[in-house]
Amino acid sequence: MDFLPSLSNVGAYAFFLDFDGTLTEIADTPAAVVVDPRLPAALASLSASTGGAVAIVTGREIGTIDRLLSPLRLPVAGVHGYELRDAGGFRLTEASDEAAGARIESLLAEFVAQNPGLLLEKKRGALALHYRLRPELEALCLALVRELADPLPGFILTHGKMVVELRLHRATKGTAIGLFMQQQPFQGRVPFFAGDDATDEDAMVVVNALGGITAKVGPGESAAQYRIPDVPSFLSWLSATADTFEGL
């Protein structure tokens, strides 16, 4: 995989972008993330030039993305496609088993209380067990969440960067992009997706199948067509692309 291509046809592309690890560096905890000052301006410029065909596709909740990018407000797929905000407003794309989720949350909260440094993040439709501050507990965290998820075939377990996430639904980032691509301003454009983690691979597969462009930020196996080494490099490319489109 090579560095990303130069894009010049402003009306041809729809941009779908992961957040943590792609647009921002991953922090020790989700609340500690720092947004590069270049990012909101680049996203706003790109969105204006493409007629709004820029969406964030993330594991975070939509409200969190709005806060981090304020005052910018973009289309967003949150919690891996469970939440969707498009031109028609906010909606949930799948049903979730909240009762089973509450039972699992209670068990994970007890486990976290017994192991300082772990963090349980509760999101609408998902639970994420972060062990970045306790990396020696990785195997134990993964085994516990897998044991809790195994009897529940409707749940999706994903092992990401220092996190084990349990989704209480069947939505993915790929299904979210498919929904966006059915409507304006995304419809009829070539989709572009950039991500960095295992949870982004569903989107890579979907965008590749649609004849789009996919990029992996950082190391690791991926179905992406292109590779870019790190977040600063991708931000530089994104800013340059936004500047190019703005000048057309």
Side-chain angles (χ1 to χ4, degrees):
M1 286 185 279
D2 300 317
F3 280 89
L4 290 169
S6 297
L7 306 181
S8 57
N9 186 346
V10 68
Y13 303 101
F15 292 87
F16 302 100
L17 307 169
D18 172 48
F19 194 76
D20 294 273
T22 301
L23 298 178
T24 61
E25 300 282 8
I26 294 176
D28 286 343
T29 65
V33 69
V34 175
V35 175
D36 188 298
R38 296 178 295 170
L39 179 59
L43 291 174
S45 174
L46 193 63
S47 180
S49 298
T50 59
V54 177
I56 305 298
V57 183
T58 176
R60 289 184 183 260
E61 293 181 317
I62 290 175
T64 302
I65 295 298
D66 286 345
R67 177 178 57 80
L68 291 169
L69 295 179
S70 180
L72 184 62
R73 187 178 173 91
L74 296 171
V76 182
V79 196
H80 309 286
Y82 179 61
E83 300 178 335
L84 196 76
R85 185 179 67 215
D86 53 22
F90 175 94
R91 68 182 188 273
L92 302 180
T93 65
E94 296 276 350
S96 66
D97 190 339
E98 297 297 336
R103 292 193 296 272
I104 292 176
E105 180 187 357
S106 177
L107 293 170
L108 290 178
E110 182 179 350
F111 177 68
V112 167
Q114 294 170 354
N115 294 276
L118 296 181
L119 172 66
L120 180 61
E121 181 186 10
K122 183 180 186 299
K123 298 180 279 189
R124 185 185 282 114
L127 296 164
L129 180 59
H130 297 265
Y131 55 86
R132 184 167 296 274
L133 299 178
R134 295 291 304 275
E136 74 279 9
L137 296 179
E138 176 179 12
L140 188 58
C141 290
L142 182 58
L144 174 60
V145 178
R146 182 173 287 139
E147 179 183 349
L148 295 173
D150 277 348
L152 304 166
F155 289 10
I156 297 176
L157 185 151
T158 305
H159 187 196
K161 293 179 177 177
M162 298 294 183
V163 61
V164 184
E165 185 150 7
L166 187 60
R167 283 177 263 165
L168 318 178
H169 54 82
R170 302 297 295 180
T172 69
K173 292 183 178 183
T175 62
I177 290 175
L179 291 172
F180 276 127
M181 289 296 293
Q182 294 173 23
Q183 52 194 279
Q184 295 297 337
F186 305 97
Q187 191 175 38
R189 294 174 180 250
V190 177
F192 172 100
F193 177 74
D196 75 300
D197 206 352
T199 58
D200 298 310
E201 290 303 308
D202 292 311
M204 300 289 187
V205 171
V206 168
V207 171
N208 286 341
L210 291 171
I213 300 169
T214 50
K216 165 83 168 180
V217 179
E221 294 185 7
S222 178
Q225 303 158 9
Y226 293 91
R227 176 86 60 172
I228 197 157
D230 50 36
V231 171
S233 298
F234 183 67
L235 287 182
S236 294
W237 179 89
L238 192 70
S239 296
T241 301
D243 290 344
T244 298
F245 283 9
E246 191 173 28
L248 297 177

